[in-house]
PDB file of all heavy atoms in Angstrom:
ATOM      1  N   ILE A   1      -6.431  13.557 -11.674  1.00 74.00           N
ATOM      2  CA  ILE A   1      -6.817  13.347 -10.219  1.00 74.00           C
ATOM      3  C   ILE A   1      -5.903  12.317  -9.533  1.00 74.00           C
ATOM      4  O   ILE A   1      -5.457  12.541  -8.553  1.00 74.00           O
ATOM      5  CB  ILE A   1      -8.331  12.849 -10.196  1.00 74.00           C
ATOM      6  CG1 ILE A   1      -9.274  13.934 -10.513  1.00 74.00           C
ATOM      7  CG2 ILE A   1      -8.654  12.325  -8.741  1.00 74.00           C
ATOM      8  CD1 ILE A   1     -10.708  13.448 -10.796  1.00 74.00           C
ATOM      9  N   ALA A   2      -5.583  11.159 -10.242  1.00 76.00           N
ATOM     10  CA  ALA A   2      -4.693  10.278  -9.753  1.00 76.00           C
ATOM     11  C   ALA A   2      -3.312  10.891  -9.508  1.00 76.00           C
ATOM     12  O   ALA A   2      -2.642  10.635  -8.468  1.00 76.00           O
ATOM     13  CB  ALA A   2      -4.628   8.960 -10.597  1.00 76.00           C
ATOM     14  N   ARG A   3      -2.836  11.662 -10.463  1.00 79.00           N
ATOM     15  CA  ARG A   3      -1.550  12.343 -10.320  1.00 79.00           C
ATOM     16  C   ARG A   3      -1.474  13.270  -9.146  1.00 79.00           C
ATOM     17  O   ARG A   3      -0.450  13.309  -8.397  1.00 79.00           O
ATOM     18  CB  ARG A   3      -1.150  13.087 -11.549  1.00 79.00           C
ATOM     19  CG  ARG A   3       0.272  13.446 -11.709  1.00 79.00           C
ATOM     20  CD  ARG A   3       0.627  14.041 -13.057  1.00 79.00           C
ATOM     21  NE  ARG A   3      -0.434  14.528 -13.969  1.00 79.00           N
ATOM     22  CZ  ARG A   3      -0.818  13.813 -15.060  1.00 79.00           C
ATOM     23  NH1 ARG A   3      -0.405  12.603 -15.292  1.00 79.00           N
ATOM     24  NH2 ARG A   3      -1.787  14.373 -15.836  1.00 79.00           N
ATOM     25  N   VAL A   4      -2.527  14.031  -8.886  1.00 74.00           N
ATOM     26  CA  VAL A   4      -2.511  14.894  -7.706  1.00 74.00           C
ATOM     27  C   VAL A   4      -2.462  14.116  -6.426  1.00 74.00           C
ATOM     28  O   VAL A   4      -1.799  14.663  -5.540  1.00 74.00           O
ATOM     29  CB  VAL A   4      -3.891  15.750  -7.712  1.00 74.00           C
ATOM     30  CG1 VAL A   4      -4.140  16.444  -6.420  1.00 74.00           C
ATOM     31  CG2 VAL A   4      -3.773  16.705  -8.933  1.00 74.00           C
ATOM     32  N   ARG A   5      -3.076  12.954  -6.284  1.00 72.00           N
ATOM     33  CA  ARG A   5      -2.989  12.182  -5.127  1.00 72.00           C
ATOM     34  C   ARG A   5      -1.825  11.340  -5.002  1.00 72.00           C
ATOM     35  O   ARG A   5      -1.570  10.669  -3.975  1.00 72.00           O
ATOM     36  CB  ARG A   5      -4.243  11.302  -5.062  1.00 72.00           C
ATOM     37  CG  ARG A   5      -5.439  12.168  -4.932  1.00 72.00           C
ATOM     38  CD  ARG A   5      -6.728  11.462  -4.312  1.00 72.00           C
ATOM     39  NE  ARG A   5      -6.520  10.236  -3.970  1.00 72.00           N
ATOM     40  CZ  ARG A   5      -7.465   9.304  -4.295  1.00 72.00           C
ATOM     41  NH1 ARG A   5      -8.542   9.638  -4.984  1.00 72.00           N
ATOM     42  NH2 ARG A   5      -7.412   8.042  -3.902  1.00 72.00           N
ATOM     43  N   MET A   6      -0.900  11.274  -5.912  1.00 73.00           N
ATOM     44  CA  MET A   6       0.312  10.454  -5.788  1.00 73.00           C
ATOM     45  C   MET A   6       1.230  10.789  -4.730  1.00 73.00           C
ATOM     46  O   MET A   6       1.962   9.996  -4.204  1.00 73.00           O
ATOM     47  CB  MET A   6       1.170  10.393  -7.117  1.00 73.00           C
ATOM     48  CG  MET A   6       0.326   9.554  -8.326  1.00 73.00           C
ATOM     49  SD  MET A   6       1.146   9.724  -9.798  1.00 73.00           S
ATOM     50  CE  MET A   6       2.763   9.038  -9.500  1.00 73.00           C
ATOM     51  N   HIS A   7       1.296  12.063  -4.429  1.00 74.00           N
ATOM     52  CA  HIS A   7       2.217  12.525  -3.342  1.00 74.00           C
ATOM     53  C   HIS A   7       1.638  12.072  -1.887  1.00 74.00           C
ATOM     54  O   HIS A   7       2.467  12.060  -0.972  1.00 74.00           O
ATOM     55  CB  HIS A   7       2.362  14.002  -3.351  1.00 74.00           C
ATOM     56  CG  HIS A   7       1.373  14.682  -2.841  1.00 74.00           C
ATOM     57  ND1 HIS A   7       0.140  15.038  -3.540  1.00 74.00           N
ATOM     58  CD2 HIS A   7       0.971  15.395  -1.618  1.00 74.00           C
ATOM     59  CE1 HIS A   7      -0.853  15.770  -2.803  1.00 74.00           C
ATOM     60  NE2 HIS A   7      -0.170  15.896  -1.735  1.00 74.00           N
ATOM     61  N   MET A   8       0.539  11.679  -1.789  1.00 74.00           N
ATOM     62  CA  MET A   8      -0.013  11.253  -0.444  1.00 74.00           C
ATOM     63  C   MET A   8       0.555   9.924  -0.087  1.00 74.00           C
ATOM     64  O   MET A   8       0.784   8.996  -1.029  1.00 74.00           O
ATOM     65  CB  MET A   8      -1.572  11.221  -0.502  1.00 74.00           C
ATOM     66  CG  MET A   8      -2.172  12.629  -0.867  1.00 74.00           C
ATOM     67  SD  MET A   8      -3.968  12.464  -0.749  1.00 74.00           S
ATOM     68  CE  MET A   8      -4.210  13.242   0.827  1.00 74.00           C
ATOM     69  N   LYS A   9       0.768   9.649   1.125  1.00 71.00           N
ATOM     70  CA  LYS A   9       1.365   8.372   1.595  1.00 71.00           C
ATOM     71  C   LYS A   9       0.297   7.353   1.843  1.00 71.00           C
ATOM     72  O   LYS A   9       0.528   6.248   1.541  1.00 71.00           O
ATOM     73  CB  LYS A   9       2.210   8.661   2.873  1.00 71.00           C
ATOM     74  CG  LYS A   9       3.365   9.546   2.648  1.00 71.00           C
ATOM     75  CD  LYS A   9       4.002   9.898   4.033  1.00 71.00           C
ATOM     76  CE  LYS A   9       5.175  10.859   3.761  1.00 71.00           C
ATOM     77  NZ  LYS A   9       4.759  12.045   3.434  1.00 71.00           N
ATOM     78  N   GLN A  10      -0.799   7.807   2.300  1.00 72.00           N
ATOM     79  CA  GLN A  10      -1.835   6.827   2.796  1.00 72.00           C
ATOM     80  C   GLN A  10      -3.116   6.840   1.961  1.00 72.00           C
ATOM     81  O   GLN A  10      -3.695   5.797   1.601  1.00 72.00           O
ATOM     82  CB  GLN A  10      -2.357   7.167   4.223  1.00 72.00           C
ATOM     83  CG  GLN A  10      -3.266   6.238   4.801  1.00 72.00           C
ATOM     84  CD  GLN A  10      -3.562   6.623   6.192  1.00 72.00           C
ATOM     85  OE1 GLN A  10      -3.207   7.557   6.737  1.00 72.00           O
ATOM     86  NE2 GLN A  10      -4.446   5.822   6.891  1.00 72.00           N
ATOM     87  N   PHE A  11      -3.525   7.960   1.412  1.00 73.00           N
ATOM     88  CA  PHE A  11      -4.693   8.070   0.673  1.00 73.00           C
ATOM     89  C   PHE A  11      -4.489   8.247  -0.824  1.00 73.00           C
ATOM     90  O   PHE A  11      -4.998   9.029  -1.514  1.00 73.00           O
ATOM     91  CB  PHE A  11      -5.588   9.305   1.121  1.00 73.00           C
ATOM     92  CG  PHE A  11      -5.924   9.276   2.630  1.00 73.00           C
ATOM     93  CD1 PHE A  11      -5.595  10.233   3.385  1.00 73.00           C
ATOM     94  CD2 PHE A  11      -6.601   8.074   3.108  1.00 73.00           C
ATOM     95  CE1 PHE A  11      -5.860  10.229   4.812  1.00 73.00           C
ATOM     96  CE2 PHE A  11      -6.860   8.041   4.436  1.00 73.00           C
ATOM     97  CZ  PHE A  11      -6.438   9.047   5.179  1.00 73.00           C
ATOM     98  N   ASN A  12      -3.520   7.415  -1.397  1.00 67.00           N
ATOM     99  CA  ASN A  12      -3.170   7.620  -2.840  1.00 67.00           C
ATOM    100  C   ASN A  12      -3.891   6.755  -3.750  1.00 67.00           C
ATOM    101  O   ASN A  12      -3.770   6.896  -4.958  1.00 67.00           O
ATOM    102  CB  ASN A  12      -1.670   7.364  -2.980  1.00 67.00           C
ATOM    103  CG  ASN A  12      -1.198   6.025  -2.532  1.00 67.00           C
ATOM    104  OD1 ASN A  12      -1.879   5.248  -2.122  1.00 67.00           O
ATOM    105  ND2 ASN A  12       0.114   5.815  -2.572  1.00 67.00           N
ATOM    106  N   SER A  13      -4.840   5.914  -3.226  1.00 68.00           N
ATOM    107  CA  SER A  13      -5.541   4.981  -4.215  1.00 68.00           C
ATOM    108  C   SER A  13      -6.847   4.710  -3.525  1.00 68.00           C
ATOM    109  O   SER A  13      -7.050   4.625  -2.293  1.00 68.00           O
ATOM    110  CB  SER A  13      -4.782   3.751  -4.338  1.00 68.00           C
ATOM    111  OG  SER A  13      -5.631   2.944  -5.246  1.00 68.00           O
ATOM    112  N   ILE A  14      -7.888   4.571  -4.305  1.00 69.00           N
ATOM    113  CA  ILE A  14      -9.194   4.145  -3.928  1.00 69.00           C
ATOM    114  C   ILE A  14      -9.470   2.722  -4.342  1.00 69.00           C
ATOM    115  O   ILE A  14     -10.404   2.063  -4.066  1.00 69.00           O
ATOM    116  CB  ILE A  14     -10.352   4.970  -4.464  1.00 69.00           C
ATOM    117  CG1 ILE A  14     -10.384   5.078  -5.960  1.00 69.00           C
ATOM    118  CG2 ILE A  14     -10.215   6.375  -3.943  1.00 69.00           C
ATOM    119  CD1 ILE A  14     -11.507   5.757  -6.615  1.00 69.00           C
ATOM    120  N   HIS A  15      -8.435   2.102  -4.959  1.00 67.00           N
ATOM    121  CA  HIS A  15      -8.532   0.686  -5.529  1.00 67.00           C
ATOM    122  C   HIS A  15      -7.605  -0.197  -4.739  1.00 67.00           C
ATOM    123  O   HIS A  15      -6.330   0.075  -4.598  1.00 67.00           O
ATOM    124  CB  HIS A  15      -8.309   0.674  -6.993  1.00 67.00           C
ATOM    125  CG  HIS A  15      -8.323  -0.751  -7.527  1.00 67.00           C
ATOM    126  ND1 HIS A  15      -7.082  -1.449  -7.904  1.00 67.00           N
ATOM    127  CD2 HIS A  15      -9.311  -1.531  -7.813  1.00 67.00           C
ATOM    128  CE1 HIS A  15      -7.497  -2.603  -8.386  1.00 67.00           C
ATOM    129  NE2 HIS A  15      -8.715  -2.660  -8.390  1.00 67.00           N
ATOM    130  N   ASN A  16      -8.027  -1.332  -4.147  1.00 71.00           N
ATOM    131  CA  ASN A  16      -7.158  -2.398  -3.588  1.00 71.00           C
ATOM    132  C   ASN A  16      -7.216  -3.585  -4.595  1.00 71.00           C
ATOM    133  O   ASN A  16      -8.232  -4.174  -4.742  1.00 71.00           O
ATOM    134  CB  ASN A  16      -7.786  -2.736  -2.228  1.00 71.00           C
ATOM    135  CG  ASN A  16      -6.947  -3.738  -1.667  1.00 71.00           C
ATOM    136  OD1 ASN A  16      -5.842  -4.156  -2.130  1.00 71.00           O
ATOM    137  ND2 ASN A  16      -7.418  -4.271  -0.464  1.00 71.00           N
ATOM    138  N   PRO A  17      -6.072  -3.732  -5.323  1.00 71.00           N
ATOM    139  CA  PRO A  17      -6.100  -4.793  -6.284  1.00 71.00           C
ATOM    140  C   PRO A  17      -6.232  -6.215  -5.908  1.00 71.00           C
ATOM    141  O   PRO A  17      -6.422  -7.032  -6.597  1.00 71.00           O
ATOM    142  CB  PRO A  17      -4.698  -4.610  -7.013  1.00 71.00           C
ATOM    143  CG  PRO A  17      -3.900  -3.932  -5.985  1.00 71.00           C
ATOM    144  CD  PRO A  17      -4.826  -3.158  -5.130  1.00 71.00           C
ATOM    145  N   GLY A  18      -6.140  -6.421  -4.486  1.00 68.00           N
ATOM    146  CA  GLY A  18      -6.239  -7.817  -4.108  1.00 68.00           C
ATOM    147  C   GLY A  18      -4.896  -8.443  -4.182  1.00 68.00           C
ATOM    148  O   GLY A  18      -3.887  -7.795  -4.360  1.00 68.00           O
ATOM    149  N   SER A  19      -4.750  -9.851  -4.105  1.00 64.00           N
ATOM    150  CA  SER A  19      -3.485 -10.483  -4.218  1.00 64.00           C
ATOM    151  C   SER A  19      -3.452 -11.220  -5.626  1.00 64.00           C
ATOM    152  O   SER A  19      -4.309 -11.271  -6.294  1.00 64.00           O
ATOM    153  CB  SER A  19      -3.273 -11.517  -3.064  1.00 64.00           C
ATOM    154  OG  SER A  19      -4.388 -12.466  -3.216  1.00 64.00           O
ATOM    155  N   ASN A  20      -2.287 -11.679  -5.822  1.00 64.00           N
ATOM    156  CA  ASN A  20      -2.072 -12.428  -7.126  1.00 64.00           C
ATOM    157  C   ASN A  20      -2.881 -13.603  -7.234  1.00 64.00           C
ATOM    158  O   ASN A  20      -3.318 -14.095  -8.379  1.00 64.00           O
ATOM    159  CB  ASN A  20      -0.524 -12.784  -7.365  1.00 64.00           C
ATOM    160  CG  ASN A  20       0.240 -11.541  -7.550  1.00 64.00           C
ATOM    161  OD1 ASN A  20      -0.215 -10.453  -8.203  1.00 64.00           O
ATOM    162  ND2 ASN A  20       1.565 -11.629  -7.322  1.00 64.00           N
ATOM    163  N   THR A  21      -3.063 -14.302  -6.077  1.00 65.00           N
ATOM    164  CA  THR A  21      -3.934 -15.580  -6.078  1.00 65.00           C
ATOM    165  C   THR A  21      -5.262 -15.334  -5.997  1.00 65.00           C
ATOM    166  O   THR A  21      -6.086 -16.248  -6.285  1.00 65.00           O
ATOM    167  CB  THR A  21      -3.432 -16.450  -4.950  1.00 65.00           C
ATOM    168  OG1 THR A  21      -3.470 -15.750  -3.734  1.00 65.00           O
ATOM    169  CG2 THR A  21      -2.004 -16.921  -5.137  1.00 65.00           C
ATOM    170  N   HIS A  22      -5.826 -14.177  -5.425  1.00 61.00           N
ATOM    171  CA  HIS A  22      -7.221 -13.832  -5.314  1.00 61.00           C
ATOM    172  C   HIS A  22      -7.554 -12.500  -5.847  1.00 61.00           C
ATOM    173  O   HIS A  22      -7.656 -11.558  -5.290  1.00 61.00           O
ATOM    174  CB  HIS A  22      -7.527 -13.765  -3.703  1.00 61.00           C
ATOM    175  CG  HIS A  22      -7.406 -15.103  -3.033  1.00 61.00           C
ATOM    176  ND1 HIS A  22      -6.215 -15.468  -2.429  1.00 61.00           N
ATOM    177  CD2 HIS A  22      -8.286 -16.059  -2.818  1.00 61.00           C
ATOM    178  CE1 HIS A  22      -6.451 -16.557  -1.944  1.00 61.00           C
ATOM    179  NE2 HIS A  22      -7.640 -17.005  -2.123  1.00 61.00           N
ATOM    180  N   GLN A  23      -7.630 -12.571  -7.282  1.00 59.00           N
ATOM    181  CA  GLN A  23      -8.015 -11.314  -7.985  1.00 59.00           C
ATOM    182  C   GLN A  23      -9.489 -10.929  -7.572  1.00 59.00           C
ATOM    183  O   GLN A  23      -9.789  -9.650  -7.713  1.00 59.00           O
ATOM    184  CB  GLN A  23      -7.818 -11.544  -9.482  1.00 59.00           C
ATOM    185  CG  GLN A  23      -6.360 -11.607  -9.946  1.00 59.00           C
ATOM    186  CD  GLN A  23      -5.565 -10.410  -9.762  1.00 59.00           C
ATOM    187  OE1 GLN A  23      -6.127  -9.277  -9.920  1.00 59.00           O
ATOM    188  NE2 GLN A  23      -4.310 -10.617  -9.322  1.00 59.00           N
ATOM    189  N   ALA A  24     -10.252 -11.885  -7.272  1.00 62.00           N
ATOM    190  CA  ALA A  24     -11.639 -11.452  -6.964  1.00 62.00           C
ATOM    191  C   ALA A  24     -11.819 -10.645  -5.698  1.00 62.00           C
ATOM    192  O   ALA A  24     -12.830 -10.070  -5.434  1.00 62.00           O
ATOM    193  CB  ALA A  24     -12.447 -12.719  -6.829  1.00 62.00           C
ATOM    194  N   SER A  25     -10.784 -10.602  -4.939  1.00 64.00           N
ATOM    195  CA  SER A  25     -10.687  -9.865  -3.646  1.00 64.00           C
ATOM    196  C   SER A  25     -10.381  -8.370  -3.787  1.00 64.00           C
ATOM    197  O   SER A  25     -10.256  -7.586  -2.877  1.00 64.00           O
ATOM    198  CB  SER A  25      -9.725 -10.412  -2.621  1.00 64.00           C
ATOM    199  OG  SER A  25      -8.388 -10.320  -3.060  1.00 64.00           O
TER     200      SER A  25
END
């Protein structure tokens, strides 16, 4: 499923990892 969505520019992930300083975000 992730590989199929890799070609998309905007909707390629459902996860926002946050920043290096705020992993909780």
